[in-house]
Amino acid sequence: MATVTETASRLDLYRSLARQLRADSIRCSTAAGSGHPTSSLSAADLMAVLLAGHYHYDFAHPEGLANDHLIFSKGHASPLVYAMFRAAGAIDDEELMTFRKLGSRLEGHPTPVLPWVDVATGSLGQGLPIAMGVALAGKRLLRAPYHVWVLVGDSETAEGSVWEGLDLGGHESLENCTPIFDINRLGQRGPTELEWNTDAYRARIASFGWDTLVIDGHDLDEIDDAFGTARAARRPTAIVARTIKGKGVSFIEDKEGWHGKALDPEQARKALAEIGAAPPSRTFAVAKPPAWRPDPQKTPAKVQLKTYSEPLATRKAYGEALAALGAARADVVVLDAEVSNSTHAEDFKKTAPDRFFEMYIAEQKMISAAVGMQVVGFVPFASTFAAFLTRAYDFIRMAAISRADIRLSGSHAGVSIGEDGPSQMALEDLAMMRAVHGSTVLYPCDANQAAKLVVAMADLRGISYIRTTREKTPILYPADAEFPIGGSRVVRGGGADDRVTVIAGGITVHESVKAADALAKEGIKIRVIDAYSVKPIDARGIADALKITGGRLIVVEDHWVEGGIGDAVLAGLTEIGVSLTRYQHLAVRAMPGSGKPAELLEAAGIAARDIVEAAKALLG
Amino acid sequence: MATVTETASRLDLYRSLARQLRADSIRCSTAAGSGHPTSSLSAADLMAVLLAGHYHYDFAHPEGLANDHLIFSKGHASPLVYAMFRAAGAIDDEELMTFRKLGSRLEGHPTPVLPWVDVATGSLGQGLPIAMGVALAGKRLLRAPYHVWVLVGDSETAEGSVWEGLDLGGHESLENCTPIFDINRLGQRGPTELEWNTDAYRARIASFGWDTLVIDGHDLDEIDDAFGTARAARRPTAIVARTIKGKGVSFIEDKEGWHGKALDPEQARKALAEIGAAPPSRTFAVAKPPAWRPDPQKTPAKVQLKTYSEPLATRKAYGEALAALGAARADVVVLDAEVSNSTHAEDFKKTAPDRFFEMYIAEQKMISAAVGMQVVGFVPFASTFAAFLTRAYDFIRMAAISRADIRLSGSHAGVSIGEDGPSQMALEDLAMMRAVHGSTVLYPCDANQAAKLVVAMADLRGISYIRTTREKTPILYPADAEFPIGGSRVVRGGGADDRVTVIAGGITVHESVKAADALAKEGIKIRVIDAYSVKPIDARGIADALKITGGRLIVVEDHWVEGGIGDAVLAGLTEIGVSLTRYQHLAVRAMPGSGKPAELLEAAGIAARDIVEAAKALLG
């Protein structure tokens, strides 16, 4: 039990720190001329108590796996988190004043350009589910002592992803994660839906499996108790803090029209006088985490891939390669959105059940958890139907800003899935994934190739994506063939008398092979290139083929006409200065319905007979 | 009060219909060789009672605005909904047996190819929030007598969008919508997270503002009561029905491994024997809706657009044009995701508050509600930061399959937003929107143009998208200029001595103009084309320019290098057989940080000086 004096001095410490966090939030945003001081002020007391009383973090060693984690899901409160880094002595005042300026690490919203930031936030509703991923890895994989704290805005609880994240935490009993809801009543353009109805927040959060502490977010003692309780709790425990936006500065407290607005210098002067803090700022001690190291990982073994000679779906090869990878490497983890018997991620589950994570039908949660797990060093693969990765596009986009290394697998690509119809057909996934910064986009056509690409993905940085096919496809490659990222493969032709180049991917490689064989019977030789690496595309290889075939090119793909292999090829070729003389792009142009895979390929005009026709047209 | 005999005969009727729905669900899926009979059987009793006892629908007049709505959010239970259409006499047995076959209207998952289907489902978690949109329009706009029924699977409650939808219904008090949760305990690959924990479902649903009736989903009397109560309720009321997957066929009831699997003919024979129904099927009477017509709409007036001569942000012009459109047309509705003071949708709210809908920060809900509103004839515009439309990509994709006519506005495009940093910068939105089937993608560079394009969007079919800019931009066009969809505009040059063609959009049009003026001083004439219509792109116009400029082309855009204007131009040109001799693509290639708009344009290499340099390189 703390004595009265100890308590008083602790509260004094918190009060000093809160004052400094408020002052620094205002100072840096006023210097920037933009930013979100009022959103910072509402949470300043919460974060002061956290930093000085409950956060265990070695700022000199951010890579330490025992460190606590703090994620600002309300990323716009960046002045506050930077003020915390300043208070901890991680950055100096000069750097704090570079906030939002060109070249500064202190961007408008936090990103891992700063070593103490796990992930980029700023697209609301993402930090909470990502935090759950960090906590899940801590609890189920590392058994680490760290606690994950996540500051959540009230406005962002409108995002369904917040409830997906809370569901994960409740279901997995993540008592090592504490979401702190900053209920300051005001959103960007006015009152939030629930304003200060903390009963409603409590009921919602509790219904997703959480104990919920409702507190006054400006009562330092109450905050202190709540954080202590939450950290010690044996059940997932969330904090709902009633706060005042702009707290501490009378003329902006609980006022509309002050979201995302910096104080002008005169207003800032008044505000700082009210707050009563004067720079230069103090450095406050932050508790170090306990001495702890994770169990040493086993040395990775050589991956023992299956080899294939009989037709097999690439999605099945994906699953089997994952299983082999999981057996060889202890850092590989797999997440799936309740379709692991379709994506075949279940093959991994069978061999490494402790590293398989069922995310149910919640793709946003799946990507978030994957991003969270890679924060602490794991190598996540996440899979669902490729069409349903569209559900998580914002999370994939943000993962790139987070400099996250995650691997995605989308099965059931294109019209060739057959009877299930267009809702289940990915026809925009290549476009979507190509337009992710630094991404790698792969699209195997046979099982041996799929297996090799899966293994390669484990060591890729950034966002990598493999598109797999529902139907069984013939084996084109020997098991020892290699498929470097950025390469391509000639699967038919290759001689100096090839007259047309056909670029295909996945299912259409097989249609192109059929076309080549049919044309060969008529004495027409074509070169078929398997563009298994859609990004980067092998522009040089294609250009070499075009020299032989007189610039005649067909691209055939099971994808909408926009943004897929066709666009990738054209962009790649023009980038290296190669122009086309005659081009045909066979892609999906009309809305498909149901039917057999072969029927739908024909209906879309991307079947063998269409390629034959296109080749003749180019020659004729 | 119904007499005992009346009740008995009503229950007999329900029982007969349920038997037929079960039998037809099995028959059509067995004939197809695929489909989801077990997911249909769990809800057969619910749907029998609905169709024969509570649904008010004139199948001969699906366009009637008084008709109830039924949305299968669990779209995979399509055999059941088609069996209902069969029972209502809307389709015959022969058509029922075309299920999942090429050319059939009865696709694997329902789509509005069928006139009695409002929207496509099959991507889980979408039907419920869309239903809320239909209900919202019924309650707040049409004051229509219709009731919206939505059949929801238990697995799909893992999707955050379900909670966004329930939040909307609770907040707007949509007592005219009844979600029916079919809690059959089994998902695709095994048990659901909550299995039969109906208490957990009740608590969650109730916490989002709903009265919740928990029933036995196979007790016809209990179902009947619940539907009657829900329809009559003055508060939003949901039904949580405990059901058994495969109910009615002993060997598949509550069994794993039966999701999405048709019975083989022998199994089907046994199943039909158990169910005790024999074709040909009966036609059951469905109650007609009451005679009702909406208030006649005022004749649309001519849209009185503001005209601009001073620099203005195109997002502001968007808002003002929306307001003008709203004043002229009563069918235009606007939705915004809590950023209407940034997107400027608030200008519409000021003039037509009854047709403005605040969706809070929930982009999936916003798109769903827009799709729901267009089902009953409204013309929705939905706006948020363009970056955050990625959050709703799956909903936009599905809206295209729904043949929905919706208009989207994304503000804050590209690095030119400045200090807020990459999380708020849309750099993939053009790629994403181009790859939507049948979409139109617009990108104005000045206020007069933005206003005209907004008006044009109101009459576009399908998904249309306008990308707006945060910063003020100069006025380039007179107020009476016209901007046809699929067109482009020459803003500098145009003579026979132009030496380089520059294609730009939005903010980069102004950089290109600066570059042209700088080059002109050095005696180098370039032609600057404003590609305000990104899809369809004006390939012919660009080709004409290229003829003049000797094939020399620069594309400059504030977007990632993939999928944007560059890809659109290359695809458009090659499609019409035009080849490039010399090409430079200026686009965003490195991850941006914070900074001033002008600084970030320069850092990305898409500023005037970069265009000048690229032009000289092409000429040099």
Side-chain angles (χ1 to χ4, degrees):
Chain A
M1 203 75 174
T3 65
V4 174
T5 322
E6 282 167 0
T7 303
S9 91
R10 198 172 65 248
L11 294 182
D12 276 346
L13 177 74
Y14 294 160
R15 205 167 292 121
S16 303
L17 176 52
R19 206 156 43 219
Q20 178 170 313
L21 295 180
R22 288 200 160 89
D24 282 352
S25 296
I26 288 171
R27 290 171 59 236
C28 73
S29 52
T30 292
S34 67
H36 298 75
T38 56
S39 306
S40 298
L41 266 50
S42 66
D45 294 314
L46 293 163
M47 291 301 101
V49 175
L50 182 69
L51 188 68
H54 300 268
Y55 196 51
H56 301 167
Y57 196 92
D58 183 352
F59 277 89
H61 295 286
E63 73 290 353
L65 277 175
N67 282 328
D68 276 4
H69 294 265
L70 170 61
I71 295 176
F72 265 46
S73 196
K74 49 176 290 189
H76 54 286
S78 55
L80 178 59
V81 77
Y82 301 148
M84 292 170 77
F85 296 159
R86 165 81 189 97
I91 61 171
D92 60 19
D93 201 64
E94 193 181 351
E95 182 163 13
L96 181 65
M97 292 303 137
T98 65
F99 178 48
R100 290 179 160 248
K101 297 200 171 81
L102 189 72
S104 171
R105 300 191 294 178
L106 277 46
E107 300 182 7
H109 295 75
T111 75
V113 168
L114 286 165
W116 319 285
V117 172
D118 285 335
V119 291
T121 51
S123 179
L124 291 170
Q126 298 202 17
L128 184 142
I130 291 172
M132 298 296 160
V134 179
L136 188 58
K139 176 170 178 170
R140 275 187 49 188
L141 297 170
L142 291 169
R143 289 171 199 84
Y146 65 68
H147 199 83
V148 183
W149 307 89
V150 52
L151 181 67
V152 191
D154 47 0
S155 287
E156 67 180 310
T157 63
E159 293 285 11
S161 56
V162 165
W163 304 98
E164 294 183 17
L166 288 170
D167 181 63
L168 176 59
H171 183 64
E172 297 277 357
S173 201
L174 299 179
E175 68 282 335
N176 59 338
C177 185
T178 303
I180 304 161
F181 292 87
D182 176 14
I183 311 296
N184 67 22
R185 196 189 73 82
L186 290 174
Q188 171 173 323
R189 44 120 292 287
T192 59
E193 184 186 323
L194 296 175
E195 301 205 30
W196 275 323
N197 186 351
T198 49
D199 284 346
Y201 283 106
R202 184 209 296 265
R204 290 184 183 191
I205 296 165
S207 76
F208 280 79
W210 290 74
D211 288 348
T212 306
L213 307 173
V214 178
I215 63 169
D216 173 350
H218 303 303
D219 182 322
L220 299 171
D221 205 16
E222 221 179 300
I223 299 169
D224 200 28
D225 276 356
F227 286 171
T229 303
R231 178 155 209 150
R234 307 300 296 264
R235 280 189 31 80
T237 303
I239 292 168
V240 174
R242 182 184 156 127
T243 61
I244 293 168
K245 199 159 176 171
K247 172 74 178 179
V249 177
S250 57
F251 57 91
I252 56 176
E253 275 188 8
D254 195 33
K255 292 265 195 307
E256 291 193 34
W258 272 100
H259 181 93
K261 199 176 276 184
L263 279 67
D264 67 30
E266 177 54 23
Q267 291 165 334
R269 201 192 49 75
K270 279 189 207 159
L272 293 173
E274 270 196 47
I275 291 166
S281 310
R282 263 177 72 184
T283 298
F284 289 75
V286 177
K288 297 264 195 305
W292 175 88
R293 280 176 186 284
D295 296 336
Q297 270 194 10
K298 277 183 271 184
T299 316
K302 190 171 154 27
V303 182
Q304 302 288 345
L305 287 178
K306 284 196 188 183
T307 61
Y308 305 99
S309 53
E310 293 300 314
L312 191 81
T314 50
R315 61 184 169 128
K316 179 64 178 160
Y318 167 76
E320 295 186 344
L322 266 194
L325 199 57
R329 290 177 58 154
D331 55 354
V332 171
V333 295
V334 173
L335 306 94
D336 192 273
E338 224 273 283
V339 288
S340 57
N341 55 339
S342 290
T343 60
H344 288 289
E346 65 176 7
D347 291 329
F348 180 93
K349 183 181 180 182
K350 286 172 195 153
T351 58
D354 51 322
R355 283 180 278 134
F356 177 86
F357 297 88
E358 178 58 72
M359 292 291 118
Y360 298 97
I361 304 182
E363 297 77 13
Q364 300 184 136
K365 176 167 82 177
M366 177 173 73
I367 301 300
S368 305
V371 169
M373 289 181 166
Q374 63 86 45
V375 164
V376 288
F378 290 95
V379 176
F381 283 77
S383 50
T384 184
F385 284 33
F388 304 143
L389 285 174
T390 56
R391 192 67 149 256
Y393 194 30
D394 195 21
F395 292 74
I396 299 168
R397 172 183 83 87
M398 288 294 297
I401 304 177
S402 289
R403 282 69 170 172
D405 302 325
I406 58 171
R407 295 126 199 106
L408 309 178
S409 168
S411 68
H412 294 68
V415 303
S416 69
I417 67 160
E419 288 82 354
D420 272 334
S423 64
Q424 321 290 302
M425 296 171 178
L427 289 164
E428 57 292 292
D429 57 319
L430 296 177
M432 169 177 94
M433 293 304 310
R434 281 181 64 232
V436 170
H437 181 63
S439 65
T440 304
V441 179
L442 305 170
Y443 185 15
C445 70
D446 92 349
N448 288 320
Q449 186 180 47
K452 286 285 174 69
L453 293 175
V454 169
V455 174
M457 286 170 79
D459 293 315
L460 287 180
R461 303 300 309 263
I463 316 295
S464 55
Y465 171 60
I466 185 165
R467 182 188 219 217
T468 67
T469 298
R470 179 178 187 274
E471 297 300 295
K472 286 184 184 182
T473 43
I475 301 301
L476 292 182
Y477 298 111
D480 62 354
E482 294 297 332
F483 303 97
I485 305 298
S488 67
R489 276 270 183 165
V490 176
V491 294
R492 278 295 184 278
D497 50 353
D498 293 340
R499 298 176 62 199
V500 174
T501 299
V502 177
I503 315 281
I507 193 88
T508 60
V509 172
H510 302 283
E511 296 299 314
S512 303
V513 164
K514 283 186 243 170
D517 293 347
L519 286 164
K521 285 185 191 150
E522 299 183 43
I524 302 169
K525 291 192 181 167
I526 66 170
R527 180 172 301 192
V528 176
I529 294 181
D530 168 15
Y532 64 84
S533 178
V534 177
K535 180 183 174 187
I537 192 86
D538 182 16
R540 295 272 165 212
I542 297 166
D544 288 345
L546 287 180
K547 276 181 216 152
I548 302 296
T549 64
R552 282 181 291 270
L553 177 67
I554 296 168
V555 173
V556 53
E557 58 182 322
D558 195 357
H559 188 276
W560 294 131
V561 71
E562 298 89 1
I565 303 175
D567 279 8
V569 166
L570 293 181
L573 289 175
T574 47
E575 187 98 15
I576 60 169
V578 174
S579 64
L580 297 170
T581 52
R582 306 202 56 193
Y583 178 58
Q584 289 242 14
H585 188 195
L586 309 182
V588 183
R589 289 167 194 266
M591 183 59 75
S594 291
K596 291 190 173 54
E599 290 172 342
L600 292 173
L601 288 171
E602 292 200 352
I606 57 173
R609 62 159 198 207
D610 305 294
I611 301 163
V612 167
E613 226 168 79
K616 288 182 177 173
L618 284 185
L619 290 167
Chain B
M1 202 75 174
T3 66
V4 174
T5 324
E6 280 167 359
T7 303
S9 89
R10 196 171 66 249
L11 295 182
D12 276 346
L13 176 74
Y14 293 159
R15 205 167 290 121
S16 304
L17 176 52
R19 206 155 46 219
Q20 177 170 315
L21 296 180
R22 287 198 160 89
D24 282 353
S25 295
I26 289 171
R27 290 171 58 236
C28 72
S29 51
T30 293
S34 68
H36 297 76
T38 57
S39 305
S40 298
L41 266 51
S42 66
D45 294 316
L46 293 163
M47 291 300 103
V49 175
L50 182 70
L51 188 67
H54 299 269
Y55 196 50
H56 301 168
Y57 196 93
D58 183 351
F59 277 88
H61 296 286
E63 75 289 353
L65 276 176
N67 282 326
D68 276 2
H69 294 265
L70 171 61
I71 294 176
F72 265 46
S73 196
K74 50 176 287 187
H76 54 286
S78 55
L80 179 59
V81 76
Y82 300 148
M84 292 170 77
F85 295 159
R86 166 79 190 100
I91 61 170
D92 59 20
D93 200 64
E94 194 181 351
E95 182 164 14
L96 181 65
M97 292 303 137
T98 66
F99 177 49
R100 288 177 161 250
K101 297 200 171 80
L102 190 72
S104 171
R105 299 191 294 179
L106 310 189
E107 299 182 9
H109 295 75
T111 75
V113 169
L114 286 164
W116 319 286
V117 172
D118 286 335
V119 290
T121 50
S123 180
L124 291 170
Q126 299 202 15
L128 183 141
I130 292 172
M132 297 297 160
V134 179
L136 188 58
K139 177 172 177 168
R140 275 189 46 190
L141 297 170
L142 291 169
R143 290 170 198 86
Y146 64 69
H147 200 83
V148 183
W149 307 88
V150 52
L151 182 67
V152 191
D154 47 2
S155 287
E156 68 180 308
T157 62
E159 293 285 10
S161 56
V162 164
W163 304 98
E164 294 182 16
L166 288 170
D167 181 63
L168 176 59
H171 183 65
E172 296 278 358
S173 202
L174 299 179
E175 68 282 334
N176 59 338
C177 185
T178 302
I180 304 161
F181 292 87
D182 177 15
I183 310 296
N184 67 22
R185 196 188 72 84
L186 290 174
Q188 171 173 323
R189 47 119 289 288
T192 58
E193 184 186 323
L194 296 174
E195 301 206 30
W196 275 324
N197 186 352
T198 49
D199 283 346
Y201 283 106
R202 185 211 295 265
R204 290 184 182 192
I205 297 165
S207 76
F208 280 78
W210 291 74
D211 287 348
T212 305
L213 307 171
V214 178
I215 63 169
D216 173 350
H218 303 302
D219 182 323
L220 300 171
D221 205 15
E222 223 178 299
I223 299 169
D224 200 28
D225 276 356
F227 287 171
T229 302
R231 179 156 207 147
R234 307 300 294 264
R235 279 191 28 84
T237 302
I239 292 168
V240 174
R242 181 184 157 128
T243 61
I244 293 167
K245 199 158 174 173
K247 172 73 179 181
V249 177
S250 57
F251 57 92
I252 55 175
E253 275 187 6
D254 196 31
K255 291 265 196 308
E256 291 192 33
W258 272 100
H259 181 93
K261 199 176 275 184
L263 281 66
D264 68 30
E266 177 55 24
Q267 291 165 334
R269 201 191 49 74
K270 279 189 208 161
L272 293 173
E274 268 196 47
I275 292 166
S281 311
R282 262 176 74 183
T283 298
F284 290 73
V286 176
K288 296 264 195 307
W292 176 86
R293 280 175 188 285
D295 295 336
Q297 270 193 8
K298 276 183 272 183
T299 316
K302 189 171 158 21
V303 182
Q304 302 289 345
L305 288 178
K306 285 196 186 183
T307 60
Y308 304 99
S309 52
E310 292 301 314
L312 192 82
T314 50
R315 61 183 169 129
K316 180 63 179 162
Y318 167 76
E320 295 185 345
L322 266 194
L325 199 57
R329 288 176 61 155
D331 56 354
V332 171
V333 295
V334 173
L335 306 93
D336 192 274
E338 223 274 282
V339 288
S340 56
N341 55 339
S342 289
T343 60
H344 289 290
E346 66 177 6
D347 290 330
F348 180 93
K349 183 181 180 183
K350 286 173 195 155
T351 59
D354 51 321
R355 284 180 278 135
F356 177 86
F357 297 88
E358 178 57 73
M359 293 290 116
Y360 298 97
I361 304 182
E363 297 77 11
Q364 301 184 135
K365 177 167 84 177
M366 177 175 73
I367 301 299
S368 304
V371 169
M373 289 181 166
Q374 63 85 45
V375 164
V376 289
F378 289 94
V379 175
F381 284 76
S383 50
T384 184
F385 283 33
F388 304 143
L389 285 174
T390 57
R391 193 66 149 257
Y393 194 30
D394 195 20
F395 293 75
I396 298 168
R397 173 184 83 88
M398 288 294 296
I401 304 177
S402 289
R403 283 68 172 173
D405 302 325
I406 58 171
R407 295 129 200 104
L408 309 178
S409 168
S411 67
H412 294 68
V415 302
S416 69
I417 66 161
E419 287 83 354
D420 271 334
S423 64
Q424 322 290 304
M425 296 171 178
L427 288 165
E428 57 293 292
D429 58 319
L430 296 177
M432 170 176 95
M433 294 304 311
R434 281 181 63 231
V436 170
H437 181 64
S439 64
T440 304
V441 179
L442 306 171
Y443 185 15
C445 69
D446 93 349
N448 287 320
Q449 186 181 47
K452 286 282 173 71
L453 292 175
V454 170
V455 174
M457 285 171 81
D459 293 315
L460 288 179
R461 303 301 308 264
I463 316 296
S464 54
Y465 172 59
I466 186 166
R467 182 187 219 220
T468 67
T469 298
R470 179 178 186 274
E471 298 299 296
K472 286 186 185 180
T473 44
I475 301 301
L476 291 181
Y477 298 110
D480 63 352
E482 294 296 332
F483 304 96
I485 305 297
S488 67
R489 275 270 181 164
V490 176
V491 294
R492 278 296 183 276
D497 49 355
D498 294 339
R499 298 176 62 198
V500 175
T501 299
V502 177
I503 315 282
I507 193 88
T508 60
V509 171
H510 302 283
E511 297 299 315
S512 304
V513 164
K514 283 186 242 169
D517 293 346
L519 286 164
K521 285 182 191 153
E522 301 183 41
I524 302 169
K525 292 193 181 166
I526 66 171
R527 180 172 300 191
V528 176
I529 295 182
D530 168 15
Y532 64 84
S533 177
V534 177
K535 180 183 174 186
I537 191 87
D538 183 17
R540 296 271 166 214
I542 297 166
D544 288 345
L546 286 179
K547 274 182 218 151
I548 302 296
T549 64
R552 282 182 292 269
L553 177 67
I554 296 167
V555 173
V556 53
E557 57 182 322
D558 195 357
H559 188 276
W560 293 130
V561 70
E562 298 89 0
I565 302 175
D567 278 9
V569 166
L570 292 181
L573 289 175
T574 48
E575 186 97 16
I576 60 170
V578 174
S579 64
L580 298 171
T581 52
R582 306 202 54 196
Y583 178 57
Q584 289 241 18
H585 188 196
L586 308 182
V588 183
R589 289 168 194 265
M591 183 61 73
S594 291
K596 292 193 172 49
E599 290 171 342
L600 291 173
L601 289 171
E602 292 199 352
I606 56 174
R609 62 159 197 207
D610 305 293
I611 301 163
V612 166
E613 226 168 79
K616 288 181 178 173
L618 285 184
L619 290 167

